[in-house]
Amino acid sequence: MIKVENLSRKFNSTIVLENINFLIEKGELAVIYGRNGAGKTTLIKCLAGFIKVNNGAINLVPNDKKKIGLYLGHEVLIDKLTVKEYIFLAGKLKALTNNVIESKITEFSQTLDFAIHLNKLISEISFGTKSKILLAISILNDPQILIMDEPFIGLDLITIQEVVKILSNLKEKGCTLFISSNQVDILENFTDKILILKNQTIVLEKKIKDLDITSINQLSDLVLTYLE
């Protein structure tokens, strides 16, 4: 579960987020939409604990970092490590055993198609491959809460399909997912709730089943109407 109440955040005198309220129940997948610069990444970082809020409260259940996955997509990686070494380090920081880490590396390097890069230095791989590495790390611990900021940027269509399968499987296991995106069509088949961030606050929070729409085109039109 993710519950946010009256959250506000400003940088100096600039208000970035104001009076943010929403609730994502256990096992729900929620997608938040907003224009570039709307504050989606700041909100994600607040949820992750990277940025302190000025007002309000964030309640994550379970509130245990070992059970939470996080994907930011723009993290600075350690160039001098190989891909395998980097994932292994991330696994140890999540308190996973060596056997579990090895198993996950084998699984995700095949599923996300980066097995041929495992022994390359981080400095030698492409932006898209780095995105795959960060995606693998975010789900390494079979999280009960997964928070993601624009997870599909830089990925090819085949990888996007695999990531969607992974997210769907996590959701079926009861994982709560909160994802920022500007790509309406990718997650439409199993999104439970949408949120729209505009003018520093949430202007729409609705379950998909409560929206008067029957197609992805209608959902896109709805999102665009609120963002204009």
Side-chain angles (χ1 to χ4, degrees):
M1 181 196 76
I2 303 173
K3 186 176 184 179
V4 174
E5 297 178 288
N6 304 316
L7 183 153
S8 296
R9 172 68 200 186
K10 63 181 181 179
F11 295 102
N12 298 320
S13 60
T14 302
I15 297 173
V16 180
L17 299 169
E18 186 172 27
N19 196 32
I20 302 290
N21 293 275
F22 62 83
L23 172 65
I24 314 302
E25 298 283 3
K26 181 182 185 301
E28 285 188 332
L29 186 150
V31 181
I32 184 166
Y33 300 103
R35 300 185 69 169
N36 294 339
K40 300 188 302 296
T41 296
T42 298
L43 177 57
I44 293 283
K45 289 183 176 180
C46 288
L47 295 178
F50 293 166
I51 296 178
K52 291 184 178 180
V53 302
N54 296 111
N55 296 294
I58 298 170
N59 185 22
L60 303 180
V61 179
N63 189 12
D64 181 350
K65 290 184 178 180
K66 294 177 184 177
K67 297 179 181 179
I68 297 173
L70 177 66
Y71 176 86
L72 292 177
H74 52 265
E75 299 173 53
V76 177
L77 307 183
I78 303 174
D79 285 346
K80 293 183 179 180
L81 294 181
T82 66
V83 169
K84 186 172 183 177
E85 288 171 340
Y86 191 87
I87 298 174
F88 208 93
L89 174 61
K92 297 306 289 185
L93 292 174
K94 294 173 181 283
L96 301 178
T97 66
N98 291 355
N99 287 341
V100 168
I101 298 171
E102 289 285 359
S103 174
K104 293 293 184 180
I105 288 175
T106 299
E107 176 186 352
F108 293 134
S109 65
Q110 293 175 355
T111 302
L112 299 176
D113 192 28
F114 61 83
I116 62 173
H117 301 295
L118 283 175
N119 294 316
K120 292 182 181 179
L121 294 174
I122 294 291
S123 60
E124 298 174 333
I125 61 176
S126 68
F127 172 79
T129 302
K130 288 179 181 178
S131 297
K132 294 178 183 181
I133 306 311
L134 292 171
L135 281 164
I137 289 171
S138 73
I139 56 178
L140 209 57
N141 56 336
D142 292 321
Q144 293 183 30
I145 293 177
L146 181 58
I147 300 168
M148 312 182 87
D149 189 15
E150 297 286 0
F152 304 110
I153 291 178
L155 300 181
D156 59 78
L157 292 176
I158 300 299
T159 303
I160 288 174
Q161 289 179 342
E162 292 301 330
V163 172
V164 168
K165 290 178 185 177
I166 290 170
L167 298 181
S168 179
N169 288 336
L170 284 171
K171 183 177 181 298
E172 288 179 3
K173 294 177 182 178
C175 180
T176 305
L177 299 99
F178 184 81
I179 301 174
S180 77
S181 179
N182 283 319
Q183 296 166 279
V184 177
D185 59 321
I186 295 177
L187 297 169
E188 81 273 15
N189 289 330
F190 61 106
T191 297
D192 297 294
K193 177 178 284 189
I194 65 167
L195 299 90
I196 296 179
L197 181 61
K198 182 180 180 181
N199 297 330
Q200 297 84 45
T201 196
I202 300 294
V203 295
L204 179 70
E205 177 191 0
K206 278 276 191 180
K207 289 184 180 289
I208 292 290
K209 66 180 182 180
D210 295 330
L211 294 172
D212 186 21
I213 57 174
T214 57
S215 70
I216 187 59
N217 289 334
Q218 288 180 310
L219 178 57
S220 297
D221 291 343
L222 175 69
V223 172
L224 285 172
T225 298
Y226 274 90
L227 294 181
E228 288 176 348

